[in-house]
Amino acid sequence: MTHRIETDAEAGTAADADTDAETDATTHAGTDAATAHAWTALGGAPDLLEKVSYVPADGALPARLPVRELARATVGACSLAAAELAARRSGGAVPAVRVAEAAVATAFIGERQLRIDGRKPTNFAPLSGFWRAADGWVRTHANYPHHRARLLPALGIVDEGDDDVLVKRLAEELAARPAKWIQETVYEAGGLAVAVAPPPQTTTGAAAEPATGTATGAIAEFITRAAAETAIPLPGPALIESRHIGAAAPRPLPPAPLPASGVRVLDLTRVIAGPVATRTLALLGADVLRIDSPQLPEDPDAHADTGFGKRSTRLDLADPQDRQTFEELLGHADVVVTGYRPGALDRFGLAPDALLERRPGLVVAQVSAWGWSGPWAGRRGFDSLVQAACGIAALEATPDGHPGVLPAQALDHGTGYLLAAGVLRSLAERHESGGGRHLRFSLTATASWLMHGIAPAPGDTPRGDTYDAAPWLTERPAPYGRLRYARPPLGHAAAPRDWAHPPTLWGTDAPVWL
């Protein structure tokens, strides 16, 4: 079947029609435990949950684990946070939020839906993926050139010949060695490989206990055992860590067309989770300036996906002049979002407490792969590696035992929407009570919530693909070429149907506020 893609002027029309057609089939967040858990973790008032409802989409994000419920809950919480902030600014009541699961599912696989002049980007490089080890399986990640350059030498492989030859050579080397040995050897070389954890010895929390929004009893026991099996410090029930810092005066935001209008965001993130969060803030009106090191180039396809609505510049924080430019930007910023390993930016004076000392009242939000404590905290990580190392790949394995994956990079996307929601809620609180905020999120915390804290909705189909993504896609020209992409999934009625502008070329914008 051929589906028409909307033009810029038509964006939103098909979505509205699709949503209206399913008005009678809604789920209210007041009865959705996952949404209640996320909203409560964000510090939101429980009575606002009655404002949220979902339009279902059969077959969206099919998986053994409740990915569909996680996805809609994170977008629902983010939409509600946007509606709450808008109401705080205008003085009116918080409006209703209505989220279409089809829009959520399409956005969660946005990097796979992306087309650039009709070309489908490569999401995983040939040397990234699952491989048999001598005693199990490992997962590698070599999408970035510097990760590939560390992976191969760690295993005694010279980076010569075409990719087909190197794939065969890598498979041979990995098959001859134990999974944990591969994991630690590659880590010591600065590369990325993890042993695939075995399936849990108990059923997931979603099946073992009702979804009460807390992880207790058998869930806590499972987390402890899983940590011992994988050597990863899986977090407990805390989905989000938050601190209120200082007694800076309130920063009331004046009425504005969009919830985050006038908010200035320094974006020091890469890949998916952090950029999804800041892309969402840009959608809602924030002036988002992404800052990257000139020594650490970004994949242009990745930036074409997550750069919507933002600007992008390059600063070397080790250079005195660039550092001064950063400090001038910080002096007028409302929010700083970082996505690097814990402590990686501290040497530049970018530890949260140092930032808040220089800029009282700032909102600092951090996201990491492996959490904030324990032996894995300082390791590099990606969604695919967290899935492999914490047991998700085993839970989603194919019938022949090959490790499986979630139907989306759901840890990345889900954490991204939670982070955006946390920033919006912090701005709403600061609007009235002042002070700074420090928020911390991690992919492992989201993974733990998915595995142990969410129950599948009644009647969910574990496998299948019946929903239509086409109404939720649109096209527009951009410096990278003509882009086909997923539209924003937020259900706040006043949220734009599309970003104000397409992604600019990575690193080419001036380091100034608009």
Side-chain angles (χ1 to χ4, degrees):
M1 179 180 292
T2 301
H3 298 285
R4 181 176 64 86
I5 305 297
E6 303 143 293
T7 64
D8 298 343
E10 296 171 316
T13 305
D16 294 338
D18 185 68
T19 301
D20 292 342
E22 301 184 46
T23 299
D24 295 333
T26 59
T27 299
H28 288 276
T31 61
D32 183 69
T35 307
H37 186 178
W39 184 245
T40 302
L42 291 162
D47 61 300
L48 290 181
L49 285 166
E50 66 183 18
K51 302 284 187 178
V52 184
S53 62
Y54 299 111
V55 180
D58 291 339
L61 300 175
R64 294 189 177 95
L65 288 166
V67 177
R68 171 182 173 180
E69 290 78 8
L70 176 144
R72 74 181 188 186
T74 57
V75 174
C78 188
S79 300
L80 184 56
E84 179 193 34
L85 179 58
R88 293 275 181 99
R89 298 184 70 161
S90 68
V94 176
V97 166
R98 195 152 167 273
V99 175
E101 290 184 1
V104 174
T106 306
F108 265 58
I109 57 170
E111 64 274 13
R112 300 208 305 263
Q113 296 284 6
L114 180 68
R115 298 292 183 272
I116 304 173
D117 286 333
R119 174 180 63 84
K120 182 179 180 180
T122 300
N123 296 124
F124 286 98
L127 301 182
S128 299
F130 291 109
W131 310 83
R132 283 198 178 274
D135 59 351
W137 293 85
V138 294
R139 173 127 200 180
T140 60
H141 196 290
N143 284 10
Y144 287 96
H146 57 290
H147 293 153
R148 172 186 173 122
R150 296 165 184 166
L151 171 69
L152 294 175
L155 300 167
I157 301 172
V158 177
D159 193 352
E160 294 178 350
D162 61 28
D163 283 341
D164 290 341
V165 172
L166 288 170
V167 165
K168 184 174 183 295
R169 181 85 174 99
L170 180 62
E172 292 171 347
E173 290 294 336
L174 296 176
R177 305 179 187 195
K180 288 292 180 65
W181 183 93
I182 295 166
Q183 171 183 285
E184 297 306 313
T185 299
V186 173
Y187 163 67
E188 291 295 334
L192 291 156
V194 300
V196 175
Q201 298 303 305
T202 64
T203 56
T204 64
E209 296 188 3
T212 60
T214 59
T216 57
I219 296 174
E221 179 184 350
F222 176 84
I223 292 173
T224 302
R225 181 165 59 256
E229 291 175 353
T230 64
I232 297 172
L234 289 176
L239 181 60
I240 300 152
E241 299 177 33
S242 176
R243 291 191 296 155
H244 184 161
I245 298 175
R251 287 196 191 176
L253 293 167
L258 296 174
S261 291
V263 174
R264 291 171 168 171
V265 179
L266 287 175
D267 175 8
L268 283 73
T269 69
R270 294 170 62 82
V271 196
I272 297 178
V276 163
T278 52
R279 182 181 68 182
T280 302
L281 296 174
L283 172 77
L284 297 171
D287 180 10
V288 179
L289 180 62
R290 173 168 163 168
I291 297 176
D292 286 275
S293 166
Q295 287 78 43
L296 198 60
E298 179 60 286
D299 177 7
D301 289 353
H303 189 61
D305 177 41
T306 60
F308 281 91
K310 301 187 275 189
R311 294 176 298 122
S312 168
T313 194
R314 287 175 283 180
L315 294 176
D316 182 354
L317 296 181
D319 176 82
Q321 185 173 345
D322 282 3
R323 178 61 182 275
Q324 179 60 34
T325 299
F326 179 86
E327 291 299 322
E328 292 171 358
L329 292 167
L330 176 65
H332 296 87
D334 297 284
V335 179
V336 175
V337 183
T338 70
Y340 292 80
R341 289 171 293 150
L345 298 176
D346 291 6
R347 68 185 187 278
F348 300 115
L350 302 185
D353 287 350
L355 289 168
L356 282 154
E357 182 177 349
R358 303 203 297 283
R359 179 68 170 156
L362 191 68
V363 176
V364 181
Q366 297 177 289
V367 60
S368 74
W370 306 108
W372 302 94
S373 61
W376 281 65
R379 297 194 179 202
R380 299 171 178 86
F382 293 88
D383 181 306
S384 58
L385 298 182
V386 175
Q387 287 190 41
C390 72
I392 290 174
L395 287 169
E396 296 289 341
T398 60
D400 64 359
H402 190 287
V405 297
L406 298 177
Q409 301 280 81
L411 308 181
D412 265 330
H413 286 272
T415 306
Y417 287 109
L418 287 174
L419 194 158
V423 169
L424 294 167
R425 287 234 64 257
S426 294
L427 292 170
E429 292 176 350
R430 194 184 70 173
H431 178 86
E432 296 181 350
S433 63
R437 301 293 189 281
H438 176 206
L439 312 174
R440 298 201 302 195
F441 303 79
S442 71
L443 302 189
T444 49
T446 303
S448 180
W449 181 42
L450 173 65
M451 295 170 71
H452 318 303
I454 304 176
D460 264 9
T461 304
R463 300 286 167 182
D465 185 17
T466 59
Y467 98 96
D468 183 10
W472 307 97
L473 301 172
T474 190
E475 291 186 359
R476 73 193 302 178
Y480 288 97
R482 187 162 186 84
L483 303 183
R484 187 198 83 171
Y485 57 97
R487 287 191 291 107
L490 295 195
H492 171 37
R497 294 293 184 183
D498 206 343
W499 288 271
H501 61 80
T504 60
L505 292 176
W506 178 81
T508 60
D509 293 295
V512 296
W513 294 118
L514 294 177

